Amino acid sequence: MDLSIYPLLYHCGFWAGLCFIVSTITGNVSQVDKLWSITPALYAWQIVFSSDSLQMRMVLMAILATIWAARLTYNFSRRGGYTWPPWKGDEDYRWPILRKTKPLNNPLVWMAFNLGFISIYQHFLLLLIVLPQFVAASAPGKDTITTLDLVLAMAFLLLVLMEYIADQQQYDFQTEKYRLKGKGLALYGEYKLGYLRTGLWSISRHPNYFAEQSIWAVYYLFSGTAGAGWLNASVIGPVLLILLFQGSVAFSEGISAGKYPEYAEYQQRVPIFIPTNPALYQSFWNPTGDDYATAAAAATETK
């Protein structure tokens, strides 16, 4: 029996509708953020239990999606992402800025944007990134786990680890920066600059986002090992996710460049996602940034 996509679409539509209603009532459009790390794992297990038989590749993919979800949910939670009642809490700092730009400063236009992009499109995207599992569940080799599946699983876990390390470094940095500010102490080093530029952030401006995009690219490859073809319709999920990150990061970096005078230099020197400049690796494990100037000069010379 072939799987039907409709139960997944109904599930997705429920969350999209709920987020639109709650965000419209509260004025806080960050409701999707609270579910971003949760719904893909729910979809993954829904596919597992909707199959006519227990398929080990489907279980493996669902377990991987759950590990990703648990890690990201934890990170979102410790930053104050969840409150009680759940519809309250801080709104992503980018939405108020975007809300002031034309034509989104028109209330009706903003409501349409909230419905079409924030609520419906983003939730649909969260379903699309899990679509490779749906495709794999009906592929010719759906019942057999291969060595390549295990290699992909290991790559997935390593990318989750990379994302964890990047987020941890950013969390430690922001915690210390605001501790210094809260106690009225003088900021120094990169705390004075205002942004993190050491550790993984010395070789990529957004190592966590690089890992996130790569995670779902690897997830897509499971559909290929199942026999659905290395290029199939479910590629739309990771492709659209990558495109979303391009736009989102470009907007965020515009804010950072306006906020931090030295950020433009950082942009010129360090790749936005993929850590492709080997000259930057000498400051990779430097926690204080003392070698940053040397690494920066070397990186500039390689261009």
Side-chain angles (χ1 to χ4, degrees):
M1 180 180 67
D2 291 334
L3 285 175
S4 172
I5 193 68
Y6 291 107
L8 288 167
L9 290 175
Y10 297 149
H11 188 177
C12 176
F14 168 77
W15 292 120
L18 180 64
C19 284
F20 175 69
I21 292 171
V22 172
S23 62
T24 300
I25 294 174
T26 63
N28 183 343
V29 297
S30 283
Q31 307 304 322
V32 178
D33 299 344
K34 298 178 175 68
L35 296 170
W36 185 276
S37 62
I38 297 173
T39 55
L42 296 180
Y43 299 143
W45 286 108
Q46 182 176 349
I47 294 171
V48 170
F49 294 117
S50 298
S51 301
D52 54 359
S53 61
L54 188 64
Q55 302 174 21
M56 295 313 297
R57 182 183 286 103
M58 297 306 99
V59 174
L60 174 62
M61 294 179 74
I63 290 173
L64 292 174
T66 303
I67 292 172
W68 166 86
R71 206 281 323 163
L72 194 58
T73 301
Y74 163 72
N75 189 63
F76 185 71
S77 176
R78 67 175 176 171
R79 290 166 39 224
Y82 298 109
T83 58
W84 188 260
W87 52 84
K88 291 191 175 182
D90 293 335
E91 186 176 51
D92 188 302
Y93 73 96
R94 291 168 293 190
W95 294 129
I97 296 173
L98 197 61
R99 193 184 279 118
K100 294 177 182 178
T101 62
K102 293 183 178 181
L104 295 176
N105 58 350
N106 181 299
L108 291 179
V109 175
W110 178 255
M111 180 177 290
F113 179 74
N114 180 22
L115 174 63
F117 177 76
I118 299 177
S119 299
I120 295 178
Y121 178 77
Q122 289 196 109
H123 270 296
F124 188 53
L125 177 58
L126 292 173
L127 173 58
L128 288 178
I129 60 176
V130 185
L131 194 61
Q133 183 177 346
F134 178 84
V135 170
S138 302
K142 62 182 181 180
D143 295 319
T144 305
I145 286 184
T146 67
T147 301
L148 187 51
D149 286 307
L150 300 180
V151 172
L152 291 176
M154 183 60 66
F156 187 101
L157 292 174
L158 288 174
L159 287 166
V160 170
L161 176 62
M162 178 183 180
E163 190 173 35
Y164 164 74
I165 293 172
D167 281 341
Q168 185 64 47
Q169 289 174 344
Q170 186 66 247
Y171 181 80
D172 291 341
F173 172 79
Q174 296 295 339
T175 299
E176 177 63 11
K177 183 176 77 171
Y178 283 101
R179 185 191 72 83
L180 293 172
K181 284 185 174 183
K183 292 192 173 184
L185 301 175
L187 299 178
Y188 61 91
E190 59 186 353
Y191 300 116
K192 187 175 182 179
L193 287 177
Y195 57 91
L196 181 60
R197 62 180 191 181
T198 51
L200 287 173
W201 302 80
S202 68
I203 59 176
S204 169
R205 299 203 303 275
H206 302 279
N208 52 345
Y209 293 163
F210 165 68
E212 179 72 5
Q213 294 169 82
S214 301
I215 281 170
W216 294 106
V218 169
Y219 202 80
Y220 162 75
L221 294 177
F222 280 102
S223 64
T225 66
W230 293 108
L231 183 60
N232 59 72
S234 66
V235 74
I236 191 67
V239 168
L240 289 179
L241 181 69
I242 290 170
L243 291 176
L244 178 68
F245 271 104
Q246 307 309 305
S248 174
V249 169
F251 183 69
S252 299
E253 290 222 325
I255 297 173
S256 297
K259 190 175 180 181
Y260 307 119
E262 296 85 357
Y263 197 79
E265 181 187 18
Y266 178 61
Q267 287 176 304
Q268 293 176 357
R269 184 178 306 114
V270 179
I272 186 169
F273 292 124
I274 306 174
T276 55
N277 194 335
L280 294 171
Y281 280 75
Q282 58 186 290
S283 61
F284 182 80
W285 296 112
N286 177 34
T288 62
D290 294 337
D291 295 334
Y292 184 74
T294 302
T300 303
E301 289 174 2
T302 61
K303 292 193 173 183

